[in-house]
Amino acid sequence: MVNTYLLYTFGGLAFVLAMLGLLNRPRRVSLWTASLCAAAATAAANADSFWAMVLLGIAMVWAIIAALPLVDLNWRMRTGLVIAVSLLAGVALWPSLNTMSQGYLPCPDYIKQKVSFRLVAGLDLRGGLRLVYTVDVDEAIKDKRDRYHEDMRNELAKIYVGHEGDEAPSEELVKKLATMVELTKPRDSANTVLLTIKDGTDASKIDARFRDLFKPDFQAKAIDKTHFEFSIRDDAESSIRDRAVAQAREIILRRVDQLGLREAAVSTRDEDIIIEVPGEDEKSFEEIRDTISKTARLEFKLNADTTDYFQELKDKLAPASLPEGLEWRTEAVPVGANDKGEVSRKVITYAYLKMKQGETAEETLKRFQEWTTQLELPEDREIGFELEKVVVSQTTLEEKEDGWRTYFLHSRAEITGDMIRDAAAVPDQSDQGLGGWHVQLDFSDQGGKIFAKITGANVHKRFSIILDGRVASSPEILARITGGRASITMGRGDPEAQLKDSKQLELVLRSGALPAPISPSNEQRIGPSLGQESIKLGVEGAMGGGLLVLLFMWIYYERAGTIANIAVTMNLFMQLAILASFGAAMTLPGIAGLALTIGMSVDANVLINERIREEIHAGKSPRAAVELGFGRAFSAIMDGQITTLISGAVLAQYGTGPIKGFAITLIIGVLCSIFTGIVVSRVLFDLWVRALGKRLRFKMG
């Protein structure tokens, strides 16, 4: 726990002075405010709420400054604001300054633990992590084949069973079609669809018109009069491969950008995607790995609960053929409503594979999937897997992974991720909410209509939400859902874990699903891309340029130049603090950019100093010269900064990677320049001419 004696002391002093009534009413109000802030900061410190303690402690200091017998209340409030911002920036930047100074600016371990912000050196200065992922382009080809399979089935339903419209045929029509033709996707081939015309069905309808519907990408081959083979052309395969890698790169780049200013480099080589991330924080690297590797393939599939598939399987299989740890469990599930509107329920069996000692969840799932691939499944059915967790602490709701359970599903996805317009992590606001989180999905217009139709036709049946091939949840449809919205719950466990998972899911869904799964193929730490001599010369050059600007201001404007230098130094300090809070990576061009910012930020002070000098030449008093100088320079300062701000906003909106990072740094620099030029400089000038009673001294230009 942090030592709270200082907070008690300030609070007690403010309370005593306010109670004695020795000050006028505005100062008593300020001291009462300081006393309340001190009490609240002390309570936050005792509750180990670090940032609440820091903010309330800074507010206490601000209120005490407002009560001091200096100048007037407006000046004291501005001074309090400047000191508050400086203290907050100092806390945010303290751990980074400790690292950059190699310990010469010591930072307590308590602050290091509570302040997670870090300003890290970029790849060119310090090195970082190099990740190589391989895109499973065969899976992308298989997905293309599967979409053509669906299109073929729809067209066959129109030809043979009277299906109409562009939507998928109903389950009844699909069953009727299966009695006339057989459309299969061979497991040993990712690019082939086989069509068999059954006895009694007119095979002449599979004519040139039907084959031409799929001609751009598919080539048709008639094995005989009733057997046809459709396969993806070689040139189409190459196009799919190239497009899958390019799309994967763009999506990964968007995900890395949304994680923060890390100046990550994303490139491709054949079917590999190479990500280079600066820094050395292993926790941050783990977050990047998890976010990048998620395919984010979202599907909604109806449960086939009317068939007790696993009970039939249980009756057929010998116990010796089951994987170690497999259990047969039962559950009562809704299977629709009867004519009276009453919910019909059915007890069905499902398989549950418990994790072995020392086994990870991924290893257990792999064993489970290897076993299920040997099972015989109907063509239009598949098995879904959901990770089960058990609560190990009722106090913290901490959970641990226990095993995997199965669902028997329709293989056709009724809703897919490309029908999602937006995703957002939101807290549970229901009456039964326990501080949990879920991800709210907004469908596109087409997706909303399909979702409403599917839910309306399957009330009191289960509808599984599948993310990256794993069942996230399998809720019961209670009523037709309109409005184009749905949600994915994050479980019932630790709210902090739910928040982390929901934010990550929001990010990957917003950035888009990868066109194919990716797998890590190489990982290594890399050293600085620039030599030590180049780094040393670059840093020295940037520091030299900044110091020359400060020296010029001091020589040319004397004491007024000293004020400008203090404002510029605070500008640089604030920029570094904000960049650290974003987790930015400091590169050599970034250091040069900060040196350039020093030159740009004195522009506001030059305008102010020149205006004040003009008023002094006109015979105005120092106090009047300051008032008029700031008032008349304000519009010119804002005009120049706003145009730069617009340029930065455009780059931030349309740029990616280093360009976007530069744009955000530029915006931060402009906002800091406005604050230091208008607020900080004014506080110092007023202190000079009003509190200290000094005359302004400018060199005659």
Side-chain angles (χ1 to χ4, degrees), residues 204-517:
S204 63
K205 293 183 178 181
I206 310 301
D207 52 12
R209 184 202 65 82
F210 177 85
R211 294 192 292 270
D212 288 346
L213 291 174
F214 314 100
K215 191 173 183 179
D217 291 330
F218 260 63
Q219 57 185 2
K221 176 183 177 183
I223 299 174
D224 54 39
K225 292 183 179 180
T226 59
H227 294 80
F228 301 87
E229 179 183 280
F230 296 85
S231 57
I232 299 178
R233 298 176 183 274
D234 292 340
D235 56 344
E237 274 197 28
S238 298
S239 176
I240 294 169
R241 290 174 185 271
D242 295 341
R243 189 163 57 247
V245 174
Q247 289 177 351
R249 178 192 176 277
E250 292 300 319
I251 291 168
I252 288 174
L253 184 58
R254 286 201 298 268
R255 292 182 184 179
V256 172
D257 281 341
Q258 291 181 41
L259 283 172
L261 291 177
R262 301 184 187 278
E263 300 296 337
V266 181
S267 59
T268 59
R269 183 186 60 204
D270 298 328
E271 296 175 1
D272 290 338
I273 297 178
I274 304 167
I275 305 107
E276 294 178 333
V277 185
E280 57 183 10
D281 183 5
E282 185 57 40
K283 183 178 179 182
S284 174
F285 289 161
E286 187 63 34
E287 179 186 5
I288 292 170
R289 291 188 194 96
D290 291 343
T291 303
I292 288 174
S293 60
K294 281 188 177 294
T295 307
R297 182 174 303 181
L298 184 65
E299 297 174 311
F300 289 69
K301 296 183 178 181
L302 287 167
N303 292 42
D305 290 331
T306 54
T307 303
D308 196 353
Y309 172 78
F310 288 101
Q311 179 60 46
E312 299 173 1
L313 196 64
K314 176 184 176 183
D315 296 337
K316 289 192 301 183
L317 296 178
S321 65
L322 304 180
E324 181 182 352
L326 188 132
E327 304 172 2
W328 300 108
R329 299 184 179 182
T330 59
E331 61 181 342
V333 299
V335 291
N338 56 27
D339 296 337
K340 298 180 181 179
E342 299 171 338
V343 180
S344 299
R345 294 190 176 273
K346 179 180 180 180
V347 177
I348 64 172
T349 301
Y350 66 91
Y352 185 88
L353 186 61
K354 197 172 183 65
M355 293 170 58
K356 294 191 296 185
Q357 186 71 28
E359 190 177 44
T360 66
E362 296 299 322
E363 291 170 344
T364 306
L365 177 60
K366 185 177 180 180
R367 282 199 301 124
F368 211 178
Q369 290 175 329
E370 288 175 352
W371 175 69
T372 56
T373 54
Q374 303 171 13
L375 305 177
E376 294 183 3
L377 286 172
E379 176 69 22
D380 56 349
R381 296 291 186 269
E382 67 179 37
I383 296 174
F385 302 90
E386 181 182 24
L387 179 62
E388 291 281 323
K389 298 180 180 180
V390 294
V391 177
V392 295
S393 172
Q394 294 297 334
T395 304
T396 62
L397 296 180
E398 181 184 356
E399 295 179 318
K400 74 170 185 178
E401 297 166 338
D402 185 68
W404 294 85
R405 63 152 298 170
T406 59
Y407 291 94
F408 194 53
L409 307 172
H410 291 266
S411 58
R412 184 177 67 187
E414 305 292 347
I415 301 285
T416 55
D418 55 3
M419 300 179 187
I420 303 295
R421 177 185 290 125
D422 196 12
V426 295
D428 186 359
Q429 301 291 345
S430 65
D431 294 337
Q432 295 79 26
L434 298 175
W437 288 78
H438 63 272
V439 177
Q440 186 78 46
L441 305 177
D442 289 334
F443 292 110
S444 62
D445 292 339
Q446 178 193 10
K449 292 176 182 178
I450 296 174
F451 191 65
K453 179 180 178 181
I454 295 298
T455 54
N458 294 277
V459 175
H460 295 302
K461 295 180 181 179
R462 293 195 297 177
F463 202 17
S464 287
I465 304 170
I466 303 166
L467 181 66
D468 288 348
R470 303 173 187 181
V471 177
S473 60
S474 189
E476 176 186 352
I477 301 172
L478 299 178
R480 182 173 181 265
I481 303 175
T482 58
R485 284 195 167 187
S487 64
I488 301 176
T489 59
M490 294 291 108
R492 302 179 299 277
D494 182 6
E496 291 189 8
Q498 291 186 44
L499 173 59
K500 177 184 175 182
D501 292 342
S502 60
K503 286 293 184 182
Q504 187 181 67
L505 179 56
E506 172 192 348
L507 188 154
V508 296
L509 289 177
R510 278 185 166 181
S511 61
L514 291 172

Side-chain angles (χ1 to χ4, degrees), residues 12 71 141 178 294 332 481 572 615 618:
V71 193
I141 294 171
K294 281 188 177 294
I481 303 175
L572 181 63
E615 299 302 329

Side-chain angles (χ1 to χ4, degrees), residues 3-289:
N3 193 322
T4 58
Y5 289 128
L6 187 61
L7 297 176
Y8 282 122
T9 301
F10 276 120
L13 178 62
F15 178 77
V16 170
L17 291 174
M19 288 296 292
L20 289 175
L22 299 178
L23 304 174
N24 58 26
R25 188 171 183 273
R27 291 180 185 169
R28 287 202 305 272
V29 171
S30 297
L31 288 173
W32 272 110
T33 303
S35 179
L36 292 173
C37 289
T42 302
N46 289 327
D48 201 23
S49 180
F50 177 77
W51 283 110
M53 178 197 70
V54 169
L55 294 175
L56 288 166
I58 291 174
M60 177 197 68
V61 174
W62 191 349
I64 291 175
I65 292 172
L68 295 176
L70 294 173
V71 193
D72 56 26
L73 182 60
N74 287 336
W75 181 85
R76 295 196 298 271
M77 291 300 292
R78 287 198 297 268
T79 302
L81 174 62
V82 171
I83 292 176
V85 170
S86 301
L87 290 174
L88 186 60
V91 172
L93 193 56
W94 199 351
S96 297
L97 290 175
N98 173 256
T99 302
M100 289 188 291
S101 66
Q102 297 182 346
Y104 285 104
L105 291 175
C107 178
D109 291 337
Y110 177 80
I111 301 295
K112 291 180 181 178
Q113 293 171 4
K114 296 298 182 181
V115 180
S116 59
F117 310 143
R118 295 293 186 275
L119 188 64
V120 299
L123 280 167
D124 55 352
L125 300 178
R126 195 172 205 171
L129 180 69
R130 186 175 189 266
L131 299 168
V132 181
Y133 286 88
T134 301
V135 182
D136 187 356
V137 291
D138 289 337
E139 189 67 23
I141 294 171
K142 180 175 176 291
D143 284 347
K144 186 75 170 179
R145 186 274 309 270
D146 291 348
R147 286 195 290 272
Y148 272 113
H149 176 273
E150 291 293 322
D151 293 341
M152 283 186 183
R153 186 173 63 178
N154 294 350
E155 190 63 27
L156 289 169
K158 292 178 182 179
I159 294 173
Y160 288 110
V161 296
H163 172 61
E164 296 180 353
D166 295 328
E167 297 180 358
S170 64
E171 190 71 19
E172 290 74 17
L173 289 179
V174 170
K175 290 180 179 179
K176 184 178 179 181
L177 179 65
T179 64
M180 306 175 72
V181 300
E182 182 180 359
L183 195 65
T184 58
K185 300 175 289 185
R187 292 189 178 184
D188 58 351
S189 176
N191 66 345
T192 303
V193 175
L194 299 178
L195 173 61
T196 302
I197 308 300
K198 295 186 177 180
D199 294 340
T201 303
D202 185 4
S204 63
K205 293 183 178 181
I206 310 301
D207 52 12
R209 184 202 65 82
F210 177 85
R211 294 192 292 270
D212 288 346
L213 291 174
F214 314 100
K215 191 173 183 179
D217 291 330
F218 260 63
Q219 57 185 2
K221 176 183 177 183
I223 299 174
D224 54 39
K225 292 183 179 180
T226 59
H227 294 80
F228 301 87
E229 179 183 280
F230 296 85
S231 57
I232 299 178
R233 298 176 183 274
D234 292 340
D235 56 344
E237 274 197 28
S238 298
S239 176
I240 294 169
R241 290 174 185 271
D242 295 341
R243 189 163 57 247
V245 174
Q247 289 177 351
R249 178 192 176 277
E250 292 300 319
I251 291 168
I252 288 174
L253 184 58
R254 286 201 298 268
R255 292 182 184 179
V256 172
D257 281 341
Q258 291 181 41
L259 283 172
L261 291 177
R262 301 184 187 278
E263 300 296 337
V266 181
S267 59
T268 59
R269 183 186 60 204
D270 298 328
E271 296 175 1
D272 290 338
I273 297 178
I274 304 167
I275 305 107
E276 294 178 333
V277 185
E280 57 183 10
D281 183 5
E282 185 57 40
K283 183 178 179 182
S284 174
F285 289 161
E286 187 63 34
E287 179 186 5
I288 292 170
R289 291 188 194 96

Side-chain angles (χ1 to χ4, degrees), residues 577-624:
I578 295 173
L579 290 172
S581 67
F582 286 167
M586 184 57 64
T587 61
L588 195 59
I591 294 174
L594 288 175
L596 178 62
T597 302
I598 293 175
M600 294 174 61
S601 62
V602 300
D603 179 60
N605 294 93
V606 169
L607 290 172
I608 292 168
N609 289 348
E610 290 298 324
R611 287 291 189 180
I612 293 175
R613 182 158 60 180
E614 289 175 4
E615 299 302 329
I616 290 176
H617 290 173
K620 299 292 193 301
S621 67
R623 182 170 177 178

